[in-house]
């Protein structure tokens, strides 16, 4: 069991409907020392990859991506979920369905911040059905940039996103993969991963 | 002139309508090494303050707050702008008017992450009319926590937010205060600050 799985067991709360609440350390209150460990582990898993930019999506991906970026010495770009009057000029746009908010969003990134020269590591906090992640991949492809890898903090292994993205050939690294949860018993089963 | 003012002159773009675009390094693409300098400077300006938590607001405050938090060794909580089904339980709520999006928002923080024991440093990227900041202060007050200070990256000194917040007695530190801008000439005038 790795540091993140231990933390999830300690502070995560399993709720009905396959909801895993980690808002005390990951996506509302944020434990920055933990984020630094997460960044170090992403660096280890993507060692040797030629990465010059990290792409994430607002809001809860940003903190993790920024702290992780210190281990890669690269800038972070975050995709925005709604059109802003300050986001002018040419933009890449992808459609994304949000499980949490039960609505469709556009994800947007300014074209000047993604180009064919970029080798991108995508980072996000959660992977479930993979809709947000597909949107981010689409943004990178629109720029003709390369997806060098995808780093996820927690993957819901019982949803289809991870399998789908791996089947597409991407190096997807999820630091914790939840294979099942039981809200009544409060138990969480993690998938064994070979590279720990 | 400090490191941030130099960077704004180098990479910031002045647009009509008193818009300062810093999206190449601050609030869309993010220069993490610069964020680390910003964090160091906040630590210097709030040296001696008893701070156990940083509060920011999604989305563009999060990255700065997380990197800055490494200099304070405290967790970060970010206020959310819209109600999410994953944000259950008791919440503090404040009303905020957004200049950028020309609409009213609620800002929300879960009550369990702000309490009367907390000594809070508020961090955000921009201060203009101060509406977002007032919302954050209101959240801290609702929790009966203490606002130990407010760290802003760029203040638009020609708008009323900064004066209003300082008049309320808060230690407000803006690393760059823009007193005027000229879109046609592309010039930016910064306010001289004594503590540099």
């Amino acid at each position: 069991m790795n540091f993140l799985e231990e933390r999830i067991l300690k502070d995560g709360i399993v709720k009905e409907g396959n909801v895993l609440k980690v808002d005390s350390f990951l996506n509302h209150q944020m434990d920055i020392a933990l984020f630094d460990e997460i960044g170090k582990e992403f660096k280890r898993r993507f060692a040797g990859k030629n990465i010059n930019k990290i792409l994430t999506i607002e809001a809860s991906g940003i903190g993790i991506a920024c702290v992780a970026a210190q281990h890669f010495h690269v800038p972070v770009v975050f995709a925005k979920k709604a059109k802003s009057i300050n986001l002018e000029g040419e933009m890449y746009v992808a459609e994304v369905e949000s499980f949490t908010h039960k609505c469709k969003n556009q994800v947007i990134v300014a074209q000047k911040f993604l180009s064919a020269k970029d080798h991108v590591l995508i980072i996000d906090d959660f992977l479930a059905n993979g809709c947000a992640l597909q949107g981010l991949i689409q943004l990178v492809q629109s720029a003709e940039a390369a997806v060098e890898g995808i780093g996820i903090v927690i993957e819901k292994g019982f949803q289809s996103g991870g399998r789908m993205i791996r089947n597409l050939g991407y190096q997807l690294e999820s630091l914790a993969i939840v294979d099942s949860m039981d809200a009544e018993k409060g138990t969480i089963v993690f998938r064994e991963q070979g590279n720990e």
Side-chain angles (χ1 to χ4, degrees), chain A residues 58-123:
Chain A
E58 65 178 2
S60 44
I62 296 175
I64 299 156
C66 285
V67 174
Q70 294 180 311
H71 295 273
F72 292 87
H73 307 286
V74 300
V76 176
V77 175
F78 69 89
K80 306 198 179 193
K81 280 177 182 159
K83 194 157 183 161
S84 154
I85 61 162
N86 273 351
L87 255 185
E88 61 172 23
E90 295 298 312
M91 293 176 282
Y92 298 117
V93 179
E95 295 286 338
V96 168
E97 202 162 341
S98 165
F99 172 75
T100 315
H101 296 87
K102 302 201 185 302
C103 62
K104 284 197 179 185
N105 280 307
Q106 289 189 321
V107 294
I108 298 170
V109 76
Q111 291 191 5
K112 58 184 172 178
F113 300 133
L114 271 186
S115 79
K117 287 182 220 155
D118 284 325
H119 295 263
V120 178
L121 173 63
I122 296 174
I123 285 182

Side-chain angles (χ1 to χ4, degrees), chain A residues 184-196:
Chain A
E184 206 169 306
K185 297 179 191 158
T187 52
I188 301 169
V189 177
F190 295 106
R191 187 177 304 172
E192 295 235 5
Q193 296 194 59
N195 55 359
E196 280 165 26

Side-chain angles (χ1 to χ4, degrees), chain A residues 2-117:
Chain A
N2 69 26
F3 68 97
L4 179 68
E5 293 163 337
E6 283 172 11
R7 184 61 177 269
I8 293 167
L9 286 187
K10 180 169 164 279
D11 292 325
I13 298 170
V14 183
K15 296 276 181 183
E16 289 298 336
N18 276 327
V19 171
L20 175 60
K21 284 181 69 71
V22 288
D23 59 352
S24 67
F25 59 96
L26 193 71
N27 51 17
H28 187 17
Q29 181 166 257
M30 299 177 287
D31 180 336
I32 306 304
L34 179 76
F35 285 16
D36 192 50
E37 285 301 308
I38 289 170
K40 226 178 271 180
E41 179 63 15
F42 281 144
K43 178 65 186 173
R44 191 181 73 80
R45 295 201 187 192
F46 295 105
K49 286 275 184 175
N50 171 24
I51 289 161
N52 75 326
K53 195 162 279 185
I54 289 174
L55 177 68
T56 188
I57 183 164
E58 65 178 2
S60 44
I62 296 175
I64 299 156
C66 285
V67 174
Q70 294 180 311
H71 295 273
F72 292 87
H73 307 286
V74 300
V76 176
V77 175
F78 69 89
K80 306 198 179 193
K81 280 177 182 159
K83 194 157 183 161
S84 154
I85 61 162
N86 273 351
L87 255 185
E88 61 172 23
E90 295 298 312
M91 293 176 282
Y92 298 117
V93 179
E95 295 286 338
V96 168
E97 202 162 341
S98 165
F99 172 75
T100 315
H101 296 87
K102 302 201 185 302
C103 62
K104 284 197 179 185
N105 280 307
Q106 289 189 321
V107 294
I108 298 170
V109 76
Q111 291 191 5
K112 58 184 172 178
F113 300 133
L114 271 186
S115 79
K117 287 182 220 155

